[in-house]
Amino acid sequence: MKRPAAAMAQEPMKLYYFPLMAKGLGPALVAELSGLPWLGPKDLGFTRDDWPKLKESGKCAFGQLPLLEASSIRISQCIAIVNYIGKVSGLEGASVEDFAMSQSLLAEGEDLYIAMQKFQPTYTVKLGTLARDGLTMKGDAATNEKFWQEWVPNQMQKLDALLKEDKFTSSGKTVGELYLWSMLHQMKLCRPSLFEKTPQLEQFYGRLEKDPKVQKVVSGSSSFGELQ
């Protein structure tokens, strides 16, 4: 017989990822703010050198990280991971309206991440070079500038219009809000002026930025460890 989710949640969840923000920051924030016991790469002793062995084990259904282990459950996709944690911890939304908004923000967070992957250079993939998927080309300098000058402001304004002061939902800390924040944080590191025309979105960002648990993760003091 399957154990109730509440009972399973008493065992520490195990989150595996590389020491990067990318797709690691969002799950780490949700795990930390869930109030549930969890172990991240730092406390698991997981490093890049351990990835080939973990990949070969077949535990990662899609051959990629992050991976969340919760008792006998293994979850291999980022959005599924944060939604699982939200389900067992109550961060999914207090009402159907909050749930719907949270899910919308998760989708928007993914859109922002995908766009960053296409147009923003990284340490390993420069502008105009082949992306890590081996199929697509990273945009050039002109498309990068157009991305920041046109596409990004349009998305920020749409988000700003959805806010009620500094919250999207009644709690202000649903999985969708935390995941969106993780993407906004990375974008703000690239462009400090990200919120210059969206004051309410800046307030949303600032409110969560000051949260002690968010600070614990961002500073590298959580079980996740250092974030590059």
Side-chain angles (χ1 to χ4, degrees):
M1 184 172 67
K2 291 184 178 180
R3 290 175 293 166
M8 294 164 57
Q10 298 307 307
E11 301 175 16
M13 301 177 292
K14 298 177 181 179
L15 178 63
Y16 297 87
Y17 196 61
F18 308 112
L20 303 170
M21 292 188 189
K23 285 293 188 81
L25 179 55
L29 288 172
V30 173
E32 186 65 31
L33 274 77
S34 73
L36 300 175
W38 71 289
L39 299 172
K42 182 180 74 175
D43 291 335
L44 290 169
F46 180 78
T47 68
R48 289 180 183 274
D49 293 338
D50 299 313
W51 168 231
K53 183 177 179 180
L54 178 58
K55 187 176 183 179
E56 284 293 320
S57 73
K59 291 181 178 180
C60 302
F62 299 98
Q64 61 188 26
L65 296 177
L67 168 71
L68 183 75
E69 291 185 328
S71 187
S72 60
I73 301 175
R74 295 193 185 104
I75 309 169
S76 297
Q77 292 285 17
C78 193
I79 297 303
I81 288 171
V82 297
N83 270 327
Y84 171 83
I85 300 173
K87 182 70 174 178
V88 297
S89 68
L91 291 179
E92 60 182 348
S95 65
V96 292
E97 292 82 6
D98 282 355
F99 175 77
M101 176 59 74
S102 176
Q103 293 300 303
S104 296
L105 297 176
L106 281 175
E108 174 65 8
E110 281 292 272
D111 285 349
L112 295 175
Y113 180 79
I114 292 170
M116 290 279 282
Q117 287 287 93
K118 288 181 179 179
F119 303 115
Q120 180 62 23
T122 66
Y123 288 117
T124 57
V125 184
K126 307 303 180 183
L127 290 175
T129 62
L130 195 64
R132 294 182 66 184
D133 61 12
L135 298 171
T136 56
M137 295 293 292
K138 182 81 75 168
D140 57 20
T143 55
N144 173 265
E145 189 61 22
K146 187 172 183 178
F147 167 70
W148 286 107
Q149 293 297 325
E150 297 180 20
W151 191 87
V152 171
N154 181 262
Q155 296 301 305
M156 297 303 104
Q157 288 165 13
K158 288 175 179 176
L159 286 167
D160 196 71
L162 291 173
L163 280 158
K164 296 177 181 178
E165 296 183 351
D166 60 358
K167 298 178 181 179
F168 290 95
T169 70
S170 59
S171 72
K173 293 181 181 180
T174 59
V175 294
E177 285 161 301
L178 296 174
Y179 193 73
L180 174 66
W181 191 93
S182 76
M183 297 305 167
L184 294 176
H185 180 65
Q186 295 177 71
M187 295 175 77
K188 191 172 186 296
L189 290 175
C190 295
R191 291 288 171 117
S193 61
L194 182 65
F195 306 122
E196 64 180 355
K197 295 182 179 179
T198 51
Q200 287 195 127
L201 191 58
E202 184 173 35
Q203 289 177 32
F204 163 78
Y205 176 85
R207 175 178 59 80
L208 284 177
E209 183 184 32
K210 295 173 185 175
D211 187 286
K213 291 183 177 180
V214 171
Q215 279 297 311
K216 184 177 180 181
V217 173
V218 173
S219 69
S221 302
S222 77
S223 185
F224 194 92
E226 182 182 6
L227 287 154
Q228 297 175 358

